[in-house]
Amino acid sequence: GKKEYDLLVIGGGSGGLACAKEAAQFGRKVAVLDYVEPSPQGTKWGLGGTCVNVGCIPKKLMHQAALLGGALKDAQHYGWNIAQPVHHTWSVMAEAVQNYVKSLNWGHRVQLQDKKVKYFNMKGSFSDPYTICGLTKSGKETIVTAENIVIATGGRPKYPTHIAGALEYGITSDDLFWLKESPGKTLTPFVFNVSLECAGFLTGIGLNTTVMMRSIPLRGFDQQMASLVTEHMESYGTKFLKRCFPTKVEKLESNRLQVTWKNTELGTEETDSFDTVMWAVGRAPDTETLNLEAVGVKTNSETGKIIVDAGEATSVPHIYAVGDITEGRPELTPTAIAAGKLLAQRLFGQSSELMDYENVPTTVFTPLEYGCVGLSEEAAGQCYGSDNIEVYHAYYKPLEFTVAERDATQCYMKMVCLREREQRILGLHFIGPNAGEVIQGFALGIKCGATYPQLMKTIGIHPTCAEEITKLHITKRSGLDATVTGC
Amino acid sequence: DYDLIIIGGGSGGLACSKEAAALGKKVMVLDYVVPTPLGTSWGLGGTCVNVGCIPKKLMHQAALLGQALQDSRKYGWQYEEQVKHNWEVMVEAIQNYIGSLNWGYRVSLREKSVTYLNSYAEFIEPHKIKATNRKGQVTYHTAETFVLATGERPRYLGIPGDKEYCITSDDLFSLPYCPGKTLVVGASYVALECAGFLAGLGLDVTVMVRSILLRGFDQEMAEKVGAHMETHGVKFIRKFVPVQASAFFRSLHSMQNYFKWHMQNARAVWEGFDSVLIAVGRDACTRSIGLETIGVKINEKNGKVPVNDEEQTNVPYVYAIGDILDGKLELTPVAIQAGKLLARRLYGGSSTKCDYINVPTTVFTPLEYGSCGLAEERAIEEYGKQNLEVYHSLFWPLEWTVPGRDNNTCYAKIICNKHDNNRVIGFHVLGPNAGEVTQGFAAAIKCGLTKELLDETIGIHPTCGEVFTTMDITKSSGQDITQRGC
């Protein structure tokens, strides 16, 4: 029979909202369900999804707070007289960040209203392929039917439940950004970008922070760059416990947390006490309560993510999925948004354009930022053979670091190209300030099929860090010293 | 005596000399700084290093840090309310860094076996120059090929008292005392950048503009740059005509310079300033180096040297690069590129010419402006308004939300040629780190960037640059571009 809505989106995050709003532009009847299950510590938030509430936005703002701490130190070299002591108050920062996030929640609700998209603050699950049962916080049930359904429920941080005390006493990024009081002396075990970014800004605002990692940092990223990032963090003041993994967390009388861990290198067991333990062991797709099995939507048995084709369609016709919940896609806001928009355009706008997931640029917002697009050196070597790739690289010093007397040891960039005549660029990696801004335009260049000679023909803007990319000329193969001087 | 003699040890000259030496040639560089009317002078390296890009960006950074200090309180940082800036500390730090660059260049030339003379060079006959050092000692040198890279110096107003009482950018960056209440005469990027950072350091700044801001740049962007400066405390006096500058003694301890000017069609006005900075343009240093003696033609109107597309003057063995070129961009990277490629063509068997198309630039005003390609007015002139589509957007850098400043001020615009696949022919961005943002886009434009490719590219979130990957609104649609959220 006739369904209530043309499109129902489950999940009001980056992907879901983009899809819903785009569909509404075509005059369709659209509804969005969004519901935040409180974290084990009880944290919850409003409309907008991970990015807005517990991801990119608060992360970058707190990163900025930490960077400003650095600016305060620099300023003195540039002639600004700042009376010591200088200290940071968590609650002032947290309140400002949380207020901004709340204004975004509000903004999203207004936008949905303006675009006549119906919003339900309910947790959805499938009753049948065209019917969703929505549950409010108070337990009230509402049935919603739609011709097309898009699943965009995203993911939530995992807990290492095999470690005693992990769930009861630890927090995750879901909680960190909403803490009213300072986390104090913090331990962040395991090393996905989230934990490095958080450890970075916690260190920057003056907190005693330790990162614990079992093996390699930033798995999946270029490993040379990952080492430079962690090296910088170490010189910046973050403590690293390498080749260690936690075995248990206990609460002390003082309310502090005692963490015990194994040091695999020394074969010893060690302990220390912390105010906060923040787990960053990865994110799990939020599919548990969707009741996917009942309608036959297939998921990847290992990751639990929903399997989709190039058009974001699941194994069930007219049920689609976008964003972090989908298998094999980058977990990034802009890809979710783009995928959501294109899906709506294909469903209702007579478009046939598919999402292009190649060469998606990204940035890790650690104290010294790392931006990249394309292949890592390892991946390029694997794909084409290390004899067929040429890597141009340079250690550089941002001009602003000179007067500030800042250490630029890890400021580094490299371009991975094919060695053959045209020298097409396969990957570009940059560590330095404003890495995201630097890489964005070059990502476009790579989309245009940029080659090394074309980049060399581009005149630099002086003085910037980005211009050094247009001047890369020392190859790794040559073995020459790659330190370049700006002027 | 030499394969190559280069007159001028600035960005272009040094780049050319080092490249030629690397190709095994016997090279000499002559560099000499004629002191300013106030006696300011500097070392090897040219304008960029000593009195241009480098000190300018460092002082701009000092001003930005002042803003960062204010922002930091909103982010939870606490320290004493009163924060003041000490000019002398800043200048000393900057001059020390410049000194290290001067030294670095001398070492670099030595290492590459380039002969360096700190002497003033003049042609006295074909293939031969006379070199005069500071002490007046004269030597003579000959070479098969010459490169002119003497750059420019600030122009004065040509009215009574300007040389005695006013300073220029040549003096500002090493000024041993704080300039205080400053009048900046001019609306070039030099004028606006200096006015911008002086205001950012807490000084009382007025900018005197005869007609338009940033002549040659996209005027919509120029006006936005100026508007932002005005919102942040810089005073603008527009449509003035200067008459006379003179100094009055105010007290035994301070002397203010009183500047008198005419508003267009109105009476004369006097106002007192601690410093008057003249930034009305730069003149090529080509008039007293003996060019007439060997027949090198210059453009009489501006003193610049016309060259062909291989940087060759009308005299076959004399080339020219950098700011003195007629009709070319006055930018360090352009001079460096031209210098390198010239050396490679002369001695390395290369035939690659310098590509002057779509050279990106950035104006480092408090709100930075980066651009590549055509200004909107130029694009309309060249292609016709109906053949263009202009996409634009306001944006609010995430970092400015918490301190709550300058919402709906940052602006992004691209100009596309409808008849060429919506190819991007003009890129403009007004916002923080404009140079870093613009650089990559310049490379993309070199690779033939189109609107479609922009739309297909995923943005990095959250950044300012990503705004270009999601621009939907065209100027022709007339839609509102006010921003409301994530």
Side-chain angles (χ1 to χ4, degrees):
Chain A
K2 176 89 168 79
K3 312 290 184 290
E4 274 175 87
Y5 292 94
D6 296 309
L7 178 70
L8 176 64
V9 178
I10 313 176
S14 304
L17 292 178
C19 189
K21 289 188 285 187
E22 190 74 9
Q25 304 270 70
F26 293 108
R28 295 300 175 152
K29 206 163 172 226
V30 185
V32 170
L33 267 76
D34 188 68
Y35 188 84
V36 179
E37 191 68 54
S39 75
Q41 297 294 334
T43 313
K44 53 183 166 47
W45 49 87
L47 179 63
T50 298
C51 170
V52 165
N53 294 287
V54 285
C56 334
I57 301 299
K59 177 262 303 282
K60 189 125 195 267
L61 289 172
M62 293 197 173
H63 168 63
Q64 174 69 357
L67 291 181
L68 287 171
L72 284 171
K73 296 199 187 108
D74 289 352
Q76 301 181 78
H77 291 274
Y78 279 86
W80 291 98
N81 293 324
I82 303 169
Q84 300 299 315
V86 172
H87 64 270
H88 185 263
T89 305
W90 174 274
S91 52
V92 172
M93 173 185 75
E95 197 181 319
V97 170
Q98 288 154 20
N99 281 343
Y100 178 63
V101 169
K102 287 181 188 153
S103 77
L104 292 179
N105 300 140
W106 178 250
H108 280 300
R109 293 194 64 160
V110 168
Q111 267 182 46
L112 289 185
Q113 217 159 30
D114 284 349
K115 289 181 159 49
K116 305 210 184 354
V117 173
K118 181 92 177 114
Y119 163 57
F120 294 101
N121 184 209
M122 305 189 305
K123 198 166 179 65
S125 64
F126 282 92
S127 310
D128 71 44
Y130 294 89
T131 312
I132 294 290
C133 177
L135 209 60
T136 65
K137 195 166 69 176
S138 49
K140 183 164 150 260
E141 243 183 48
T142 309
I143 307 290
V144 188
T145 58
E147 280 294 337
N148 298 283
I149 298 179
V150 175
I151 306 170
T153 49
R156 294 295 290 269
K158 288 195 278 206
Y159 273 81
T161 45
H162 60 282
I163 297 173
L167 190 60
E168 299 93 297
Y169 306 124
I171 65 167
T172 67
S173 54
D174 275 2
D175 309 293
L176 181 70
F177 300 115
W178 293 92
L179 290 179
K180 296 266 185 285
E181 297 297 318
S182 170
K185 181 180 173 192
T186 306
L187 173 72
T188 71
F190 304 155
V191 230
F192 285 82
N193 15 339
V194 172
S195 71
L196 280 189
E197 288 170 326
C198 292
F201 68 69
L202 291 174
T203 308
I205 58 174
L207 300 178
N208 181 339
T209 312
T210 307
V211 172
M212 187 183 290
M213 46 198 244
R214 185 167 194 157
S215 61
I216 61 172
L218 295 177
R219 189 179 295 278
F221 285 84
D222 185 290
Q223 283 304 294
Q224 179 194 16
M225 306 309 280
S227 313
L228 287 169
V229 165
T230 53
E231 233 178 74
H232 175 267
M233 286 179 69
E234 261 179 302
S235 66
Y236 186 67
T238 308
K239 302 196 232 314
F240 277 79
L241 288 170
K242 296 181 187 164
R243 308 225 179 286
C244 298
F245 65 92
T247 52
K248 66 176 175 210
V249 181
E250 297 159 295
K251 196 152 197 166
L252 299 170
E253 249 172 53
S254 57
N255 258 341
R256 294 191 95 205
L257 302 172
Q258 177 102 327
V259 181
T260 310
W261 68 87
K262 268 213 172 65
N263 184 321
T264 63
E265 205 163 85
L266 304 174
T268 52
E269 208 177 67
E270 285 151 20
T271 74
D272 195 1
S273 59
F274 300 89
D275 295 309
T276 304
V277 176
M278 192 193 91
W279 304 106
V281 304
R283 296 174 72 80
D286 203 347
T287 52
E288 238 181 73
T289 54
L290 283 171
N291 202 16
L292 293 178
E293 322 71 42
V295 291
V297 170
K298 291 204 172 64
T299 58
N300 177 301
S301 52
E302 222 184 277
T303 62
K305 293 189 175 189
I306 298 177
I307 300 171
V308 292
D309 65 13
E312 271 71 56
T314 67
S315 49
V316 179
H318 78 269
I319 298 182
Y320 304 84
V322 293
D324 289 4
I325 197 109
T326 50
E327 175 62 34
R329 309 286 198 229
E331 287 180 8
L332 296 169
T333 289
T335 52
I337 292 176
K341 274 195 182 147
L342 288 177
L343 174 62
Q345 287 169 10
R346 287 193 306 273
L347 288 176
F348 307 115
Q350 272 113 41
S351 158
S352 54
E353 195 187 334
L354 295 173
M355 178 68 187
D356 183 359
Y357 289 99
E358 289 261 309
N359 291 324
V360 173
T362 163
T363 299
V364 183
F365 292 100
T366 30
L368 198 58
E369 300 175 7
Y370 164 39
C372 60
V373 59
L375 301 176
S376 66
E377 196 178 331
E378 306 89 289
Q382 256 174 35
C383 213
Y384 297 94
S386 50
D387 277 338
N388 297 320
I389 61 169
E390 193 78 89
V391 181
Y392 295 90
H393 67 156
Y395 284 92
Y396 70 97
K397 187 166 190 168
L399 178 63
E400 292 74 12
F401 278 33
T402 58
V403 165
E405 291 177 24
R406 276 218 210 181
D407 180 15
T409 313
Q410 289 89 20
C411 289
Y412 177 78
M413 58 181 73
K414 76 178 171 186
M415 192 187 307
V416 182
C417 309
L418 279 175
R419 214 171 162 193
E420 48 86 358
R421 224 165 21 105
E422 236 186 42
Q423 292 193 293
R424 190 161 54 88
I425 300 171
L426 301 171
L428 183 62
H429 303 262
F430 174 90
I431 292 185
N434 306 301
E437 307 296 1
V438 170
I439 291 287
Q440 180 72 83
F442 287 100
L444 269 144
I446 288 181
K447 245 303 172 248
C448 302
T451 62
Y452 176 75
Q454 276 176 313
L455 240 65
M456 290 309 109
K457 267 178 75 175
T458 306
I459 306 270
I461 297 172
H462 188 67
T464 59
C465 295
E467 67 174 312
E468 297 300 336
I469 293 179
T470 65
K471 290 150 69 181
L472 284 168
H473 62 285
I474 298 165
T475 61
K476 276 198 175 182
R477 197 181 301 275
S478 70
L480 293 169
D481 176 16
T483 313
V484 296
T485 51
C487 217
Chain B
D1 320 320
Y2 290 86
D3 295 309
L4 180 67
I5 288 183
I6 299 175
I7 308 177
S11 305
L14 293 179
C16 188
S17 71
K18 290 191 276 189
E19 192 74 12
L23 291 166
K25 295 300 167 179
K26 196 170 173 215
V27 185
M28 168 187 273
V29 169
L30 293 99
D31 187 68
Y32 190 85
V33 179
V34 175
T36 71
L38 291 173
T40 315
S41 182
W42 51 86
L44 179 63
T47 298
C48 171
V49 165
N50 294 287
V51 287
C53 335
I54 300 299
K56 175 265 299 286
K57 187 113 197 275
L58 290 171
M59 291 199 176
H60 170 62
Q61 175 70 354
L64 289 179
L65 287 171
Q67 179 69 72
L69 292 182
Q70 285 181 43
D71 287 356
S72 73
R73 291 189 212 271
K74 294 280 167 62
Y75 279 89
W77 291 98
Q78 288 172 333
Y79 46 90
E80 207 181 271
E81 274 306 309
Q82 269 281 41
V83 178
K84 298 200 86 217
H85 184 260
N86 185 319
W87 174 270
E88 286 85 350
V89 169
M90 177 182 72
V91 167
E92 191 182 326
I94 292 174
Q95 287 302 315
N96 282 343
Y97 177 63
I98 292 174
S100 77
L101 292 178
N102 300 138
W103 177 249
Y105 280 125
R106 296 191 62 158
V107 168
S108 172
L109 289 184
R110 228 197 333 260
E111 280 176 356
K112 292 183 158 54
S113 307
V114 173
T115 309
Y116 160 57
L117 285 189
N118 184 210
S119 304
Y120 189 90
E122 292 168 84
F123 284 95
I124 49 169
E125 55 183 71
H127 290 277
K128 187 167 180 181
I129 53 159
K130 161 180 153 188
T132 315
N133 72 9
R134 209 172 297 279
K135 300 195 193 114
Q137 291 159 345
V138 171
T139 48
Y140 299 90
H141 309 277
T142 59
E144 199 177 310
T145 309
F146 285 82
V147 175
L148 308 173
T150 48
E152 301 178 302
R153 297 296 290 270
R155 190 181 304 148
Y156 279 81
L157 289 171
I159 63 177
D162 62 357
K163 290 208 171 80
E164 292 94 300
Y165 304 118
C166 304
I167 62 171
T168 69
S169 55
D170 277 0
D171 307 292
L172 181 66
F173 299 114
S174 55
L175 210 59
Y177 54 87
C178 180
K181 179 183 172 191
T182 305
L183 172 70
V184 177
V185 182
S188 58
Y189 72 83
V190 174
L192 295 187
E193 286 174 338
C194 291
F197 68 67
L198 290 174
L201 297 176
L203 303 179
D204 177 343
V205 179
T206 306
V207 178
M208 202 168 251
V209 181
R210 209 170 40 184
S211 61
I212 62 172
L213 301 177
L214 296 177
R215 185 176 297 278
F217 287 85
D218 184 293
Q219 282 302 293
E220 177 185 27
M221 306 305 286
E223 282 304 312
K224 286 183 191 287
V225 165
H228 177 267
M229 288 172 68
E230 233 171 334
T231 319
H232 286 264
V234 175
K235 300 187 258 291
F236 278 81
I237 299 176
R238 305 190 74 152
K239 296 198 178 359
F240 83 101
V241 174
V243 174
Q244 181 178 330
S246 67
F248 279 14
F249 275 92
R250 265 178 114 215
S251 77
L252 288 174
H253 300 291
S254 81
M255 179 168 82
Q256 266 204 336
N257 299 300
Y258 276 81
F259 189 57
K260 173 182 176 184
W261 71 90
H262 273 124
M263 297 300 281
Q264 242 162 27
N265 305 321
R267 73 214 186 304
V269 184
W270 292 91
E271 191 178 333
F273 299 91
D274 295 313
S275 303
V276 177
L277 173 74
I278 299 180
V280 297
R282 295 173 68 76
D283 290 323
C285 297
T286 50
R287 306 275 184 188
S288 359
I289 56 174
L291 292 181
E292 337 66 56
T293 315
I294 56 166
V296 171
K297 282 205 175 59
I298 61 173
N299 179 326
E300 281 305 325
K301 262 194 351 213
N302 55 26
K304 291 191 168 202
V305 183
V307 293
N308 63 17
D309 66 358
E310 297 192 337
E311 281 84 36
Q312 193 179 36
T313 69
N314 63 310
V315 176
Y317 68 91
V318 179
Y319 295 80
I321 53 175
D323 289 1
I324 58 168
L325 291 189
D326 198 15
K328 300 284 200 287
L329 296 156
E330 292 175 10
L331 295 169
T332 289
V334 172
I336 292 177
Q337 184 85 319
K340 277 196 181 141
L341 294 179
L342 174 61
R344 288 185 200 157
R345 286 196 308 273
L346 288 174
Y347 309 115
S350 159
S351 55
T352 313
K353 298 185 220 187
C354 190
D355 187 347
Y356 291 101
I357 311 277
N358 290 329
V359 173
T361 89
T362 299
V363 182
F364 292 100
T365 30
L367 193 57
E368 299 177 6
Y369 164 37
S371 70
C372 184
L374 299 174
E376 199 174 334
E377 328 57 301
R378 278 290 329 276
I380 291 175
E381 234 178 73
E382 220 174 286
Y383 295 87
K385 196 166 183 177
Q386 68 284 5
N387 299 317
L388 299 174
E389 193 73 86
V390 180
Y391 294 86
H392 66 160
S393 180
L394 288 165
F395 63 95
W396 200 17
L398 180 63
E399 292 75 12
W400 295 7
T401 57
V402 161
R405 63 181 169 93
D406 295 317
N407 191 2
N408 285 307
T409 306
C410 292
Y411 182 71
K413 154 167 104 170
I414 53 164
I415 304 162
C416 303
N417 181 355
K418 282 196 224 177
H419 295 289
D420 182 19
N421 263 321
N422 260 338
R423 185 132 353 245
V424 177
I425 57 172
F427 170 97
H428 303 269
V429 65
L430 186 67
N433 305 303
E436 307 295 0
V437 171
T438 304
Q439 182 69 85
F441 285 93
I445 287 175
K446 202 52 112 189
C447 302
L449 183 66
T450 60
K451 179 67 169 72
E452 196 179 333
L453 285 164
L454 263 172
D455 292 343
E456 281 177 17
T457 304
I458 302 288
I460 298 172
H461 186 69
T463 60
C464 294
E466 66 175 313
V467 68
F468 288 96
T469 62
T470 54
M471 284 173 103
D472 300 320
I473 300 174
T474 59
K475 272 199 178 181
S476 52
S477 71
Q479 275 176 275
D480 180 20
I481 51 172
T482 322
Q483 293 296 292
R484 256 169 296 250
C486 189

